[in-house]
Amino acid sequence: MVYSKEVREMCPVHQGVNHGAAPIPEEAKWVKAREVKDISGYTHGIGWCAPQQGGCKLSLNVKDGVIQEALVETIGCSGMTHSAAMAAEILPGRTILEALNTDLVCDAINTAMRELFLQIVYGRTQSAFSEDGLQIGAGLEDLGKGTRSMVGTIYSTVSKGPRYLELTEGYITDLALDEDDEIIGYKYVNFGKMMDFIKGGDDAATALSKASGQYGRVADAVRLIDPRKE
């Protein structure tokens, strides 16, 4: 340790108050975090890329400072989705400090990692008051039974109005319109369920029928339109 001349010539004065780190809530415990291994928690964070043309939702389950589980969901450019695949290879097994200082390729994923780091080290996690935290596998609960990201895609213009393209239920096949051409419902296909039916032995037509559904007052519609073509 090298000290400047000014510091070397100072007389020593002892610190009177030193209570250490303030306790933070972690998995139903109050913890004075001094090292990376003192940190545990499960939480989510959102990141965005520099031109803000896409975003990432990152979910991490951290136990004793080490990332045990990672869920990476992105929307935007094709490069971002491939970067998510790389991030899933990189993150598990690293400490949160290593992950913070690792190039996760995409700006949106890097930014999400930064936001998560802040939440975790300050005790602002989803599992802050959950005894022993959340089990490994909790990230899959965000995806539901179909193990697919919850995506909402809606397009709209002044001259032609809104088009629902994809909602939580799935891919929108038809919009139900009333006599004023206002949307009163829609038909959809849940691709996650459809693929499960196909893997279970159903032919494509049967799987499509079983995975299809509708929401709203479809039966009252004056007409149905394909939101991608009409």
Side-chain angles (χ1 to χ4, degrees), residues 107-186:
D107 281 350
I109 305 174
N110 282 317
T111 303
M113 183 62 230
R114 180 193 71 197
E115 297 302 310
L116 258 77
F117 181 88
L118 293 174
Q119 293 177 36
I120 293 168
V121 298
Y122 285 125
R124 271 62 169 181
T125 62
Q126 182 177 324
S127 58
F129 300 102
S130 301
E131 189 170 359
D132 296 325
L134 300 183
Q135 64 181 353
I136 309 304
L140 289 177
E141 295 179 6
D142 277 11
L143 302 180
K145 292 181 179 179
T147 322
R148 284 174 58 86
S149 295
M150 304 297 179
V151 177
T153 307
I154 295 90
Y155 179 74
S156 186
T157 61
V158 171
S159 61
K160 300 298 181 179
R163 298 293 189 279
Y164 299 174
L165 302 176
E166 188 148 354
L167 297 175
T168 298
E169 294 94 339
Y171 178 95
I172 306 302
T173 57
D174 297 280
L175 291 180
L177 306 182
D178 64 10
E179 60 275 7
D180 297 319
D181 284 334
E182 294 182 356
I183 299 171
I184 58 173
Y186 49 82

Side-chain angles (χ1 to χ4, degrees), residues 33 39-40 77 90 97 168 172 197 205:
I39 299 294
S40 294
C77 66
I90 293 169
L97 187 58
T168 298
I172 306 302
F197 290 139

